[in-house]
Amino acid sequence: STVRAGLTRWLLPTRAGVGKLELAGLAVLWAVLLVWGMDFIAMDFRSNEIGQSFLHNINLVFHEAGHVLFRPFGRTMMFLGGSLFQVLLPLLLMLAFLVKNRDGFAASVCLWWAGQSLMDVAPYIADARALRLPLLGGGTGADSPGMHDWANLLRPRGWLQYDLQIASAADLIGSTMLVLALLWGALMLWRYYRLAPADGG
């Protein structure tokens, strides 16, 4: 159908000239993301185990940048901007790879990152009442009143008691995005496999 053809064209764009050597490299990358992703999904957001990962430090850079970028839009957006931007950036990169580069596999990797980054936010949301997690400036939220993003976002709205439920939803949505990204990447690999030149390219 026309709709299916349109979705295939936009979501499954295949670059020309992907040989078997490059395809093998992409397959290895996909396998790494599969194992790493399943490890993230198995983590309990309440333990902040994900906060010990290498990717957390990368996400943190964009989290802090988000506070600066969204500061002009008011206090609420400044607090939300950190968590928002660390998830939004990989989604923007995903769109860039789809629209500009027409590279579905690269776009799927960006969606994987966005899902992981949303899961990375979940422990911070869950800490809104407990205020036990260490903050970037040193100490915990309890040591630095008014510095915990999610306490500042949830308390004025009377939502503080729902911190674990909101965190659980963020973790679930992030996990779902990560799984969808892996399925998307696998489909792209299959398409490249079918199109790879017989001589090994």
Side-chain angles (χ1 to χ4, degrees), residues 5-199:
L7 285 173
T8 300
R9 186 174 69 254
W10 281 105
L11 295 179
L12 302 173
T14 47
R15 290 184 292 110
V18 175
K20 292 197 174 167
L21 188 60
E22 183 182 354
L23 177 58
L26 294 177
V28 169
L29 173 59
W30 183 88
V32 169
L33 294 177
L34 172 65
V35 173
W36 208 7
M38 293 304 102
D39 190 40
F40 284 132
I41 288 173
M43 293 176 182
D44 186 341
F45 68 87
R46 290 166 294 190
S47 71
N48 192 36
E49 190 180 354
I50 198 168
Q52 312 307 313
S53 72
F54 163 73
L55 267 182
H56 174 73
N57 294 322
I58 295 175
N59 292 332
L60 187 59
V61 172
F62 298 111
H63 181 101
E64 294 306 313
H67 288 311
V68 177
L69 287 171
F70 285 90
R71 185 185 298 271
F73 302 102
R75 179 179 169 84
T76 296
M77 286 306 299
M78 181 190 71
F79 287 125
L80 181 61
S83 298
L84 180 62
F85 189 63
Q86 75 173 73
V87 177
L88 191 58
L89 178 68
L91 290 176
L92 292 173
L93 290 173
M94 178 191 78
L95 289 175
F97 277 118
L98 274 180
V99 176
K100 186 174 176 60
N101 294 52
R102 307 299 296 142
D103 188 337
F105 185 84
S108 77
V109 173
C110 292
L111 180 62
W112 184 99
W113 179 19
Q116 190 279 338
S117 194
L118 183 55
M119 294 168 70
D120 184 73
V121 171
Y124 196 16
I125 302 173
D127 188 56
R129 270 181 297 176
L131 302 176
R132 293 194 191 103
L133 290 184
L135 301 179
L136 189 60
T140 65
D143 300 324
S144 308
M147 294 300 292
H148 194 292
D149 295 345
W150 283 94
N152 289 326
L153 288 167
L154 300 181
R155 185 181 290 112
R157 291 161 181 79
W159 298 347
L160 206 54
Q161 61 186 313
Y162 304 118
D163 56 354
L164 289 177
Q165 290 93 324
I166 297 169
S168 180
D171 186 66
L172 178 61
I173 294 168
S175 299
T176 302
M177 290 167 64
L178 194 151
V179 170
L180 289 175
L182 288 168
L183 292 173
W184 186 8
L187 192 50
M188 288 304 308
L189 289 176
W190 172 246
R191 287 175 67 84
Y192 282 135
Y193 174 76
R194 293 181 63 189
L195 294 171
D199 61 3

